[in-house]
Amino acid sequence: MKWFKFALRNVLRNRRRSLVTIALIAVGAAAILATQGFSHHTNKMILERTINSTGGIIISHADFFKRDEEKALEMGLSDYPSIISSLKANSSIKHVLPSIHFNGMISNGDKTVIFYGIGRNALYFHRDDAEINFVSGVPLSMKPDPNKEPEIILGKDLAKSLKAAVGDSLTLMSTTANGTLNAIDFTVVGTVDAGINQLNKTLIYTHISDTQELLDTDKIHTLSIYLHDFAQIPLLLTELQQKRPDLGITPWSDHAETYNKVKKMFGSIFGVMGIIVFIMVAFSVSNTMSQAVVERTREIGTMGALGTSKILIITNFIIEALIIGAIGVAIGIILAFMAGFGLEILNAQMPPGPGFTNPYPLRLLISASLIIDTLISLLVACFLASWFAASRGVKKPIVEALTHV
């Protein structure tokens, strides 16, 4: 305890130099927390949106994601109703929704363009966690009227290209599972912004039953499992893979290309930034301690003459550096939380990334683990820098140190 008090007094002895070092550490800590907090928030947001879109676990034919189909629904699932029934008995599962991915041509009578279609159960659009940005119209009906034309939803740019509005009739043409051409008229009930420029130009949604009629099949491509808690995904994934090794049962992350790329990019960028801050703090503390050692050379000599070991003298300088580092990190934490609070109040938005259409919130997700990691890493920098500076100072002979001017 006495060595801590001694070190604290030495920190206060040269307030200006200590304050400059504390300020630099505070800025470094705030920068690490802010950038990592932004990275964590962005990754979490994309993760949630991806899982809410694709489901936490995807069930398909064993080869569906490994090779392309030569015919429509060649690698489809025909026994999916029984799979859905067995899955619904699991209390951790919220929804099990089938989907079909298909393509073809869509026409308004005057213009025909290529489309990328997804056949969905209407519940997909009516979930409480559905994140679908409707530009106009409404989702697919839960109970469509059999006396009316089938319903269709268009990407906003595809609707613009076809000059189609809600209530208009369009014709879909696609190749059936038997290899023949089929066409069905659909009524536009809504337009959506998918968030990706290219997808908005080709995307359509239809009822899965209407899609099966168009493709003349009773199969589906995938079953998406939505759980009440994301944390339950790994356990259920392992359980299902053991029960049905004949199926392709994969986690959402295997198909989350955007999430994986963003996470890797942020990891590289902010990892380099963290190393730069670490080096910056180490050099700053080393400079501060080196100056302190030079100024207190006679004091070091006196302590040595009184029998104080070199280890204790070095320890004293290390404690000083750790006090400076701890104060700096504490201030940096406060600054980071203030920045996060300010962004919340201002509702700051990041501009859309390349190829995307929607801005997203600029927020900081600062967790306890992130704070602990930042504190430990910067204190390690302080420890190493002070140990290096103090070790050189105590090597001077006692007589020489006592006569130092």
Side-chain angles (χ1 to χ4, degrees):
M1 190 66 182
K2 66 178 181 179
W3 286 103
F4 177 81
K5 292 180 180 178
F6 189 49
L8 183 59
R9 288 176 181 176
N10 285 327
V11 170
L12 298 175
R13 180 187 297 183
N14 194 324
R15 290 180 174 84
R16 181 178 297 178
R17 186 167 60 214
S18 297
L19 285 174
V20 170
T21 307
I22 288 172
L24 191 145
I25 295 173
V27 171
I32 291 176
L33 290 170
T35 54
Q36 292 292 339
F38 167 70
S39 173
H40 289 179
H41 173 267
T42 303
N43 289 338
K44 182 174 181 289
M45 180 188 66
I46 297 176
L47 180 150
E48 290 178 350
R49 289 184 177 180
T50 302
I51 295 179
N52 288 336
S53 174
T54 65
I57 299 173
I58 296 92
I59 298 178
S60 65
H61 184 281
D63 295 328
F64 178 67
F65 291 108
K66 296 178 181 178
R67 59 185 178 89
D68 294 333
E69 291 182 316
E70 295 182 4
K71 295 181 179 180
L73 277 299
E74 177 186 5
M75 290 179 284
L77 298 175
S78 56
D79 61 338
Y80 70 94
S82 62
I83 298 175
I84 293 176
S85 297
S86 64
L87 290 173
K88 283 185 175 180
N90 192 316
S91 60
S92 66
I93 295 176
K94 192 174 184 180
H95 304 297
V96 182
L97 302 179
S99 63
I100 297 176
H101 302 264
F102 64 111
N103 51 55
M105 307 292 289
I106 184 170
S107 175
N108 61 3
D110 298 321
K111 184 177 182 179
T112 302
V113 296
I114 296 172
F115 72 81
Y116 165 67
I118 306 178
R120 294 283 193 188
N121 185 305
L123 181 58
Y124 174 82
F125 300 92
H126 295 270
R127 294 172 297 130
D128 54 3
D129 55 359
E131 296 186 18
I132 302 170
N133 184 17
F134 276 85
V135 177
S136 63
V138 295
L140 298 177
S141 303
M142 290 294 291
K143 294 182 179 180
D145 188 342
N147 298 318
K148 295 182 179 180
E149 284 185 349
E151 301 173 336
I152 188 173
I153 295 173
L154 306 178
K156 66 174 187 177
D157 292 335
L158 177 59
K160 184 178 180 181
S161 174
L162 293 171
K163 298 180 180 179
V166 174
D168 290 349
S169 182
L170 301 173
T171 301
L172 259 62
M173 294 167 283
S174 187
T175 305
T176 68
N178 298 320
T180 59
L181 187 65
N182 193 17
I184 296 179
D185 292 333
F186 286 78
T187 298
V188 178
V189 296
T191 61
V192 296
D193 181 357
I196 302 175
N197 287 323
Q198 193 59 39
L199 201 53
N200 281 330
K201 297 176 182 178
T202 59
L203 178 66
I204 69 165
Y205 288 113
T206 58
H207 280 284
I208 196 159
S209 56
D210 297 328
T211 309
Q212 289 175 322
E213 182 180 352
L214 176 65
L215 301 180
D216 190 21
T217 183
D218 59 355
K219 296 181 179 180
I220 56 104
H221 275 135
T222 62
L223 284 172
S224 297
I225 301 176
Y226 299 84
L227 289 85
H228 293 283
D229 185 359
F230 295 164
Q232 297 173 324
I233 291 175
L235 182 63
L236 181 61
L237 176 67
T238 303
E239 180 184 332
L240 293 176
Q241 287 174 337
Q242 292 174 347
K243 284 183 177 180
R244 296 298 303 267
D246 56 311
L247 297 174
I249 302 176
T250 52
W252 66 274
S253 54
D254 284 5
H255 317 291
E257 185 177 354
T258 300
Y259 172 79
N260 293 328
K261 286 183 176 179
V262 169
K263 187 175 181 180
K264 185 177 179 180
M265 178 187 70
F266 282 165
S268 300
I269 294 173
F270 298 136
V272 171
M273 183 175 178
I275 293 172
I276 293 172
V277 171
F278 183 92
I279 295 172
M280 178 184 71
V281 169
F283 272 112
S284 175
V285 173
S286 177
N287 179 65
T288 298
M289 291 296 105
S290 295
Q291 291 183 26
V293 168
V294 171
E295 292 174 359
R296 290 154 54 187
T297 300
R298 295 179 67 181
E299 179 184 320
I300 293 172
T302 302
M303 293 174 68
L306 293 173
T308 305
S309 68
K310 291 182 179 181
I311 295 297
L312 282 177
I313 297 173
I314 293 173
T315 300
N316 182 64
F317 282 99
I318 291 175
I319 294 173
E320 291 179 35
L322 293 179
I323 290 173
I324 290 173
I327 294 173
V329 173
I331 295 173
I333 292 170
I334 294 172
L335 292 175
F337 274 106
M338 288 175 62
F341 185 66
L343 293 173
E344 289 277 357
I345 293 176
L346 296 173
N347 193 27
Q349 301 285 315
M350 286 291 291
F356 292 85
T357 62
N358 299 325
Y360 61 95
L362 175 55
R363 300 289 185 271
L364 307 182
L365 181 59
I366 303 174
S367 62
S369 60
L370 177 57
I371 292 174
I372 292 171
D373 290 344
T374 303
L375 176 63
I376 292 174
S377 62
L378 294 186
L379 288 184
V380 168
C382 293
F383 172 86
L384 294 175
S386 59
W387 175 82
F388 179 73
S391 296
R392 290 186 302 171
V394 299
K395 289 180 180 179
K396 188 172 291 189
I398 292 175
V399 175
E400 186 179 339
L402 287 172
T403 58
H404 177 79
V405 180

